[in-house]
Amino acid sequence: MTTARPAAPPPLSWTLLAVGVAAFFTLGLIQAMYGPAFGLFQARFGVSTASVGVIASAHFLGSAVAPPLMGLLLRRVSVRAGVSWSLLLLALGVTGVVFAPAWPLAVASAFLGGFGLGGVSACLNAAYASVGARAVNLVNAVFGVGSMLAPLLVVGLGRADGTPGGLAGPFLTVAALCAVTFAVGRVWGVPGIHAPARAADAPAPARPVVQAALFAALIVCYVGLEAGYGAWASRYLTELGLPGAALTLSAFWAALTVGRVLTGVFAGRVGAPRVVLSCGAALVALALAMRVPALAPLAVILSGLALAPVFGTTLAWLSQVLSARLVPLLLVAGSLGGVLSPWLLGQAFARFGAGAVPVTLAVLAALMLLFTALARRGARAAA
């Protein structure tokens, strides 16, 4: 029997992380920029409040369409090529948003930019997930930093004067950062997808389709929890009559970012299944603790810390058990959770009152815990 030890992934270094840091900071900026810029779009194109949200929807639609296509392309092209072309599309999209002569063209440009964002995210998440949980969590933490700075960039550089220049400051900054990211990739390189060596006669993973479905369901629940907290935690705290609901939500996002940095530092010491299982159990307990008014704000903030390791660690785990080339498909599954969860929580709130919010979040966390346990069991069977 021929045996082969898995090839060691490249060690973490600045040169390995450089393009990821530049790219995910840029992606975080543009992902969170459209909402704060609604007033600029209304002044520039004269659209109503009811219609302006279409441009954000077009951006997110583009970002959801790109990952499955990129997952197929990564079988034929390198990560470097995929990132380079996607950066070009993102830069063209945000530039088109600024100089579009009419609203429909601005919306089409936002779709193009979103498509480029989805391509960059799919390529680099797949590459860094194949390196390990530390790398993918660190670069995703930088995404959070960009998202927090996006509203400040819009306020500082945008002008509601009805001219293309009103949008130029924030959106052309993103285009410039695309060029910087491209240059960083040229200088320090873009990581490829690391494929662990396998013995020639090693058995294929048991029931890979079932395993992939379990990972997808896990990510659906994770993104559903993240979107659910983002959409309804502040409203729930307000219904309880607690002060500082918006500040608590900001602290939740800050905790999510800090938690990803900590995971990037310490994730190598604990196995991926154990990390995700621990986070799932903590999230169930914290969601139930939200039902106690005195504990609710702290529970929301700590939920950000508990959520932080799940996304990147799951992507790294998938790349170990199946293939990092499936990461783009998980990103699409996550989009489904982001769409359904806020709607589901809204329906529960309307029917059963504010108390349904923590209960629904606890159910989502319990489902995530269940899918994690089943995925671990399947991985052990494959081993």
Side-chain angles (χ1 to χ4, degrees):
M1 178 182 296
T2 303
T3 59
R5 299 181 67 180
L12 284 186
S13 64
W14 165 247
T15 56
L16 178 71
L17 296 175
V19 71
V21 169
F24 278 90
F25 179 76
T26 304
L27 301 189
L29 278 178
I30 187 60
Q31 190 82 334
M33 189 176 289
Y34 279 95
F38 279 171
L40 307 184
F41 286 117
Q42 289 182 272
R44 169 76 175 89
F45 296 102
V47 294
S48 67
T49 302
S51 302
V52 71
V54 171
I55 196 163
S57 298
H59 168 82
F60 282 100
L61 178 61
S63 68
V65 169
L69 298 177
M70 193 57 65
L72 297 175
L73 285 175
L74 284 177
R75 299 177 181 275
R76 297 182 177 273
V77 302
S78 67
V79 173
R80 180 176 179 174
V83 169
S84 298
W85 284 105
S86 296
L87 284 171
L88 176 62
L89 294 179
L90 175 55
L92 289 174
V94 295
T95 302
V97 165
V98 173
F99 296 108
W103 178 241
L105 290 177
V107 172
S109 296
F111 175 86
L112 180 64
F115 190 91
L117 180 149
V120 175
S121 176
C123 288
L124 289 182
N125 268 310
Y128 284 113
S130 71
V131 174
R134 294 180 65 197
V136 72
N137 275 290
L138 283 172
V139 295
N140 274 281
V142 180
F143 181 95
V145 175
S147 297
M148 287 189 288
L149 293 178
L152 300 178
L153 187 68
V154 173
V155 171
L157 300 182
R159 303 192 313 274
D161 57 7
T163 68
L167 292 165
F171 283 89
L172 292 186
T173 296
V174 173
L177 286 172
C178 289
V180 170
T181 303
F182 180 82
V184 169
R186 288 289 176 178
V187 174
W188 283 293
V190 178
I193 294 179
H194 172 75
R198 295 181 182 274
D201 55 352
R207 299 189 298 174
V209 174
V210 174
Q211 279 292 97
L214 289 172
F215 279 111
L218 194 168
I219 288 294
V220 167
C221 293
Y222 164 78
V223 178
L225 284 164
E226 184 180 304
Y229 275 99
W232 286 99
S234 179
R235 174 68 183 276
Y236 171 71
L237 295 175
T238 301
E239 288 291 320
L240 293 181
L242 298 172
L247 183 61
T248 300
L249 183 59
S250 296
F252 164 84
W253 291 115
L256 188 71
T257 301
V258 171
R260 283 177 173 167
V261 173
L262 294 175
T263 305
V265 174
F266 298 109
R269 302 180 183 181
V270 185
R274 185 177 298 177
V275 169
V276 183
L277 282 171
S278 300
C279 291
L283 286 164
V284 173
L286 289 168
L288 294 176
M290 286 173 61
R291 291 180 59 84
V292 181
L295 299 178
L298 180 60
V300 170
I301 296 170
L302 292 179
S303 294
L305 280 176
L307 276 168
V310 175
F311 180 73
T313 303
T314 300
L315 298 189
W317 184 17
L318 170 78
S319 70
Q320 296 166 5
V321 174
L322 296 172
S323 169
R325 287 181 170 80
L326 293 176
V327 165
L329 298 181
L330 256 67
L331 300 182
V332 178
S335 299
L336 179 63
V339 170
L340 293 179
S341 173
W343 174 83
L344 180 63
L345 282 161
Q347 295 298 309
F349 188 105
R351 172 171 264 185
F352 302 109
V357 171
V359 172
T360 306
L361 292 172
V363 170
L364 274 175
L367 287 173
M368 189 183 83
L369 189 61
L370 172 64
F371 293 133
T372 303
L374 292 175
R376 183 176 71 164
R377 181 180 180 184
R380 285 179 172 176

